[in-house]
Amino acid sequence: MADGIFAGLKVIDCASWIAGPAAATILSDFGAEVIKIEPPGAGDPWRASAAVPGKVTDYWWQLTSRNKRSLAIDLKHPEGLGVLRRLIATTDVFITNFPLPVRERLKIAAADLLAINPRLVYGSITAYGEAGEEAARTGFDATAYWARTGLMDMVRATPETEPVRSMPGMGDHPTATALYAAIVTALYRRERTGVGGVAQTSLLQNGLWANGCFVQNRLFGEHVRHRPPRTDTPSALANHYRCRDGRWFLMALHNEARQLASFLKAIDAEHLAQDERFATQPARRANHKVLTEILDGIFARRDLAEWKPILEAAGVTFGAVFTVDEAADDPQSREIGALVPFADGAGLTVSSPFHIDGATKVAPRRAPAVGQHSEAVLRDAGYSADEIGRLKTLGVLPQ
């Protein structure tokens, strides 16, 4: 029996790519038993995705499918659907991102499965939601979360530069956290009522939530212009600067009344406080371009490693612009349990982004091969050796 808050909770991950499966991964981090259903052969298409062109690895697969058992069945075969429906009877959470018409055709829509098991929490994730003309449209986080919601248009170095492409999973992972939250909320309701139901979210809605500040401005009738270049930012004290070694950091000095004096002293620029162009906050706003140019010159005199202790000692809120190499080797991330070792001790993985007091997460186990646990899962569900053999003969299970 697994340990953890969700020990004994049975989850079927009948989804693909990232957002749906990652929600199941979070449940597994806290002890849930997760069965990953994927087609025989190649399995989930996310397996074949590669971060390095020309190099197929399973790095991303290890992140998204750790702790799970893989059941490879052909859901296009009536007997394969029969296996799924039999498993549903004793399942607590079912997660899918199948397009809505596909769910209807396979008869695995919420109404179909809740009729089998009214206590089931049906975790549903779509690109554009489950109502309206676009409910059946397919999409990825790059298209529905990033491009559709204004985020892609707004995140530019200057208004003239082309829109920026999103990073892999950049919208999927926060959307997975939202689906996890919906599922846990539905489980809490089930504890009170005994009834399951649908817990759903979409990439579109999560993208709007991420871009909520600007979208809310527009909802109140305000025009939202593209963000200006860094040389024309409204406050020179909330800007990013390049150091002598070419490294950048982002400074967020928002409490100017309390922090300005110590900041100027730390960078040997106390005289700027006496300059009428910068003596008050309105003056600094009016002369932000000039102040940015002055600070550019000051920060270009030292390397980032020299500026970090100076700014820290002055109490300035800032963040160095890390490379991926640095983020993957960040001691602070290890200290807080954001980067954790695999159970076999070989390498690290990115953990789910929260902790519960008194609860220890499951040590992450390696992601499964396609169908690695098919027979074991079916035996646990009460299938006999003859039944399993018949499913193999029919091609529902791999031989």
Side-chain angles (χ1 to χ4, degrees):
M1 178 67 68
D3 296 324
I5 292 175
F6 294 131
L9 191 77
K10 295 183 179 180
V11 179
I12 289 181
D13 168 5
C14 190
S16 60
W17 297 96
I18 307 176
T25 302
I26 300 175
L27 290 164
S28 79
D29 285 342
F30 289 96
E33 174 195 346
V34 179
I35 298 170
K36 171 71 179 179
I37 292 183
E38 48 188 331
D44 187 328
W46 187 234
R47 287 179 177 274
S49 299
V52 182
K55 183 179 181 182
V56 177
T57 67
D58 70 346
Y59 303 146
W60 294 349
W61 180 251
Q62 292 296 331
L63 171 63
T64 308
S65 289
R66 60 173 178 257
N67 305 329
K68 301 177 184 179
R69 297 197 294 169
S70 173
L71 169 59
I73 54 174
D74 183 2
L75 293 180
K76 296 178 181 178
H77 195 292
E79 295 281 353
L81 283 174
V83 171
L84 175 59
R85 294 172 71 85
R86 182 162 164 179
L87 292 174
I88 285 296
T90 57
T91 294
D92 296 292
V93 179
F94 175 82
I95 297 174
T96 187
N97 68 336
F98 283 16
L100 298 179
V102 174
R103 301 182 205 181
E104 295 289 343
R105 185 169 68 251
L106 293 177
K107 297 191 182 305
I108 61 168
D112 300 308
L113 300 191
L114 288 170
I116 299 171
N117 179 0
R119 287 179 53 81
L120 180 72
V121 171
Y122 187 101
S124 171
I125 190 162
T126 58
Y128 299 101
E130 301 192 14
E133 295 181 356
E134 298 183 62
R137 283 191 64 193
T138 58
F140 294 95
D141 67 339
T143 59
Y145 177 103
W146 185 241
R148 179 66 175 265
T149 62
L151 284 167
M152 186 175 185
D153 183 51
M154 296 304 294
V155 179
R156 306 174 188 237
T158 70
E160 293 75 29
T161 55
E162 63 184 33
V164 179
R165 291 183 297 169
S166 61
M167 300 299 292
M170 193 169 79
D172 281 318
H173 285 115
T175 300
T177 306
L179 180 58
Y180 167 82
I183 289 169
V184 172
T185 303
L187 286 171
Y188 176 72
R189 183 181 67 178
R190 190 181 75 171
E191 287 297 305
R192 303 179 70 182
T193 67
V195 178
V198 178
Q200 63 99 355
T201 191
S202 66
L203 293 166
L204 174 62
Q205 191 161 2
N206 281 275
L208 285 171
W209 183 246
N211 197 22
C213 291
F214 282 166
V215 173
Q216 189 65 58
N217 279 9
R218 192 69 193 96
L219 291 172
F220 277 107
E222 295 287 347
H223 172 67
V224 180
R225 68 189 184 99
H226 283 101
R227 303 177 82 179
R230 61 168 298 276
T231 53
D232 193 22
T233 189
S235 172
L237 301 176
N239 206 350
H240 49 289
Y241 291 94
R242 183 161 54 185
C243 304
R244 182 175 58 190
D245 56 356
R247 297 297 305 275
W248 291 84
F249 70 91
L250 175 63
M251 183 168 66
L253 199 159
H254 293 302
N255 191 339
E256 298 179 26
R258 184 174 62 84
Q259 296 178 294
L260 183 62
S262 59
F263 166 68
L264 293 178
K265 182 177 180 180
I267 66 172
D268 295 324
E270 290 178 280
H271 63 282
L272 293 179
Q274 310 306 319
D275 189 318
E276 63 179 11
R277 296 174 298 174
F278 316 123
T280 66
Q281 187 179 73
R284 289 189 291 275
R285 294 292 192 273
N287 295 286
H288 60 275
K289 290 185 180 180
V290 179
L291 183 54
T292 297
E293 184 177 347
I294 293 172
L295 294 177
D296 275 338
I298 291 173
F299 289 124
R301 296 171 189 166
R302 299 174 185 262
D303 293 348
L304 176 62
E306 297 176 73
W307 279 120
K308 287 176 69 175
I310 292 172
L311 295 175
E312 286 171 355
V316 175
T317 300
F318 74 97
V321 178
F322 270 25
T323 64
V324 174
D325 287 351
E326 290 170 318
D329 193 37
D330 188 352
Q332 181 64 18
S333 293
R334 298 190 191 195
E335 286 291 331
I336 65 174
L339 300 176
V340 296
F342 279 102
D344 60 13
L348 302 172
T349 188
V350 182
S351 186
S352 46
F354 53 84
H355 306 270
I356 306 297
D357 184 40
T360 302
K361 291 181 181 178
V362 171
R365 301 181 300 276
R366 295 286 173 177
V370 179
Q372 180 178 340
H373 306 97
S374 295
E375 291 191 32
V377 168
L378 294 184
R379 285 196 300 269
D380 290 348
Y383 279 81
S384 67
D386 288 343
E387 287 177 303
I388 293 174
R390 178 173 176 273
L391 291 172
K392 288 183 177 181
T393 300
L394 292 172
V396 175
L397 291 177
Q399 292 288 339

